Amino acid sequence: MMISLSRTIILYLFVIFSIRLMGKRQIGELQPSELVVTILVSELATLPMQDFDLPILLGIIPIVTLVFFEHIVSFICMKNVKIRRFINGNPCIIIKDGKLDIKTLTSLRISVDEVLEELRVNNVTEIEDVKYAIIETNGQLSYILYPHARNVTSGMLNINSPDSSLPLVVVNDGYILEHNLSDLKKNREWLLNYLYENGRIDIKSVFLMTLDSSNNIFIQQRNE
Amino acid sequence: MNRILLSSICFVSVLLICIFGTKHVETSTLPLIDQAKTSLFYAQNDDMQSAILSMEALILDWEETSNILGVLLRHNEIDDLDQIFILCLEYAKNGNQESFQVETSSLIHRLEHLIEKEKFSIKNIF
């Protein structure tokens, strides 16, 4: 029993390390080679967890090898377009000028229903509104709408809207995040002073406080 | 770049472990095979007392070696060999010369097979 527990902990930590080593791309958008590696890593990790006859090393060796080769392949793909196209494939245009490309759809084995579903998910109901729709190498659908179907932006209306910056969390559950404060060129003293001047709020009672470079502040206290 | 470097370091470490592992299986098993052959030789020449002493020494060496081998090889293989060692010693102590010889030959074969299985060869890869 304890062997199973310790093996699981070791392999869990090892798989976390491996996935972190593969980088953020692995978690979000999987290319074909990355998908294969991710599935294989999880499968390989379970073998020594369940089979006590298998030395833990025999689970670790293939995981390290896969992660290493995944890095090498990613690096080569980054440097060489031909190899990248061979390994990851090409994006395919499935809608051009508001018309479905039936030949491409057939070769990709994607049904019209699936295309419509994917467009509906993105709030597009008419194929005629789509100038281009592309199946990316990671399998996701991206599209470009005709100007008449696009959402109106302030730029189109020539309206000068104030630039908003990224709000950063400066207090999380009563804990001051100093590095975010310094990114915004503020310090602990400024923060405590602000809280004191705005209702003598105790820092420990602040559940969440965000701040952006335009000094827009959001505060939620624990008791709210 | 750091990730590539780190995964390269891990891969090189694993590669070294693999090379060391393969070498270790060979270097630690070969003396055991020699000892088992000596024990078998004594038994074939009706010297069961020397065969028992040789087998006891062999078992002590095996117990030491099997700890590291357990990290490199499947544990059921190590367990199977453990059982054969015990059987050999029991046969020898009971004076069952014929069974001892059969079991020791099997032991030698199994030990040789361990080295064979770990060898980097086309046969083993495919």
Side-chain angles (χ1 to χ4, degrees):
Chain A
M1 297 291 182
M2 286 306 288
I3 300 293
S4 174
L5 181 77
S6 24
R7 275 176 168 236
T8 308
I9 293 168
I10 292 168
L11 285 161
Y12 169 74
L13 294 173
F14 191 74
V15 170
I16 292 285
F17 170 74
S18 305
I19 297 289
R20 282 289 293 121
L21 203 60
M22 282 196 276
K24 283 191 169 60
R25 265 162 60 89
Q26 225 64 24
I27 303 158
E29 300 162 358
L30 294 173
Q31 294 292 343
S33 64
E34 296 160 350
L35 178 71
V36 169
V37 172
T38 310
I39 292 170
L40 281 176
V41 164
S42 56
E43 279 291 313
L44 283 165
T46 57
L47 292 175
M49 263 185 216
Q50 295 169 329
D51 185 358
F52 296 164
D53 280 333
L54 210 63
I56 207 160
L57 201 60
L58 293 191
I60 289 172
I61 289 171
I63 292 174
V64 169
T65 311
L66 282 172
V67 170
F68 172 71
F69 276 95
E70 170 51 28
H71 268 125
I72 295 298
V73 169
S74 301
F75 186 74
I76 294 169
C77 285
M78 198 175 73
K79 296 283 175 193
N80 190 312
V81 179
K82 282 183 183 171
I83 294 176
R84 181 164 65 232
R85 282 189 181 156
F86 176 72
I87 297 200
N88 295 334
N90 285 322
C92 296
I93 298 173
I94 55 165
I95 298 174
K96 195 176 177 184
D97 299 328
K99 298 270 180 216
L100 283 162
D101 185 338
I102 299 164
K103 205 174 160 188
T104 311
L105 279 178
T106 313
S107 71
L108 291 172
R109 296 186 305 279
I110 297 174
S111 69
V112 178
D113 289 342
E114 285 170 310
V115 177
L116 291 173
E117 187 183 316
E118 199 61 40
L119 287 173
R120 280 198 302 274
V121 168
N122 291 293
N123 293 326
V124 179
T125 48
E126 302 291 335
I127 287 183
E128 299 98 291
D129 291 344
V130 181
K131 184 155 176 65
Y132 292 110
I134 302 145
I135 297 286
E136 303 293 353
T137 52
N138 59 15
Q140 288 190 334
L141 179 87
S142 54
Y143 60 92
I144 298 163
L145 297 173
Y146 275 109
H148 71 263
R150 288 180 202 160
N151 290 332
V152 178
T153 63
S154 59
M156 288 173 179
L157 300 171
N158 288 325
I159 297 170
N160 281 329
S161 52
D163 186 21
S164 61
S165 58
L166 179 72
L168 296 176
V169 177
V170 288
V171 180
N172 185 356
D173 208 1
Y175 179 75
I176 300 172
L177 301 172
E178 305 263 5
H179 59 282
N180 283 352
L181 266 178
S182 63
D183 283 350
L184 294 161
K185 297 183 178 57
K186 305 277 187 219
N187 54 31
R188 176 183 275 266
E189 284 69 41
W190 173 87
L191 179 83
L192 295 173
N193 206 26
Y194 177 87
L195 291 172
Y196 184 79
E197 285 172 1
N198 288 274
R200 298 186 175 189
I201 303 167
D202 178 22
I203 187 74
K204 294 285 172 205
S205 69
V206 178
F207 183 71
L208 178 70
M209 178 174 172
T210 63
L211 173 70
D212 66 18
S213 56
S214 309
N215 280 342
N216 293 316
I217 294 170
F218 167 80
I219 298 175
Q220 182 173 343
Q221 288 182 262
R222 268 178 210 283
N223 51 11
E224 283 177 343
Chain B
M1 210 52 167
N2 281 340
R3 286 175 201 273
I4 295 181
L5 184 69
L6 192 57
S7 70
S8 303
I9 292 167
C10 290
F11 180 69
V12 170
S13 315
V14 158
L15 195 66
L16 290 175
I17 290 170
C18 289
I19 295 167
F20 160 78
T22 311
K23 283 269 170 216
H24 181 78
V25 171
E26 191 174 345
T27 51
S28 61
T29 315
L30 278 175
L32 297 174
I33 294 170
D34 287 341
Q35 262 180 286
K37 281 180 178 168
T38 311
S39 189
L40 183 63
F41 175 78
Y42 285 134
Q44 282 165 344
N45 290 293
D46 298 326
D47 186 359
M48 285 309 285
Q49 202 53 45
S50 300
I52 292 170
L53 288 174
S54 174
M55 186 52 71
E56 279 174 341
L58 176 58
I59 288 173
L60 283 176
D61 287 347
W62 165 250
E63 277 168 3
E64 217 169 276
T65 314
S66 62
N67 287 330
I68 300 176
L69 286 181
V71 180
L72 306 166
L73 304 171
R74 286 186 74 96
H75 298 174
N76 52 356
E77 284 181 286
I78 308 286
D79 293 343
D80 289 350
L81 278 161
D82 270 338
Q83 283 184 342
I84 299 177
F85 273 107
I86 292 164
L87 270 177
C88 284
L89 191 63
E90 285 306 310
Y91 284 136
K93 279 181 177 172
N94 294 336
N96 194 340
Q97 205 169 327
E98 206 172 296
S99 299
F100 175 77
Q101 285 180 26
V102 171
E103 216 49 61
T104 311
S105 300
S106 158
L107 176 68
I108 293 166
H109 177 74
R110 292 289 290 267
L111 289 170
E112 283 170 343
H113 186 62
L114 278 188
I115 302 171
E116 193 58 43
K117 260 179 65 178
E118 287 300 309
K119 265 190 184 155
F120 187 64
S121 66
I122 297 288
K123 182 187 152 194
N124 283 340
I125 290 172
F126 293 99

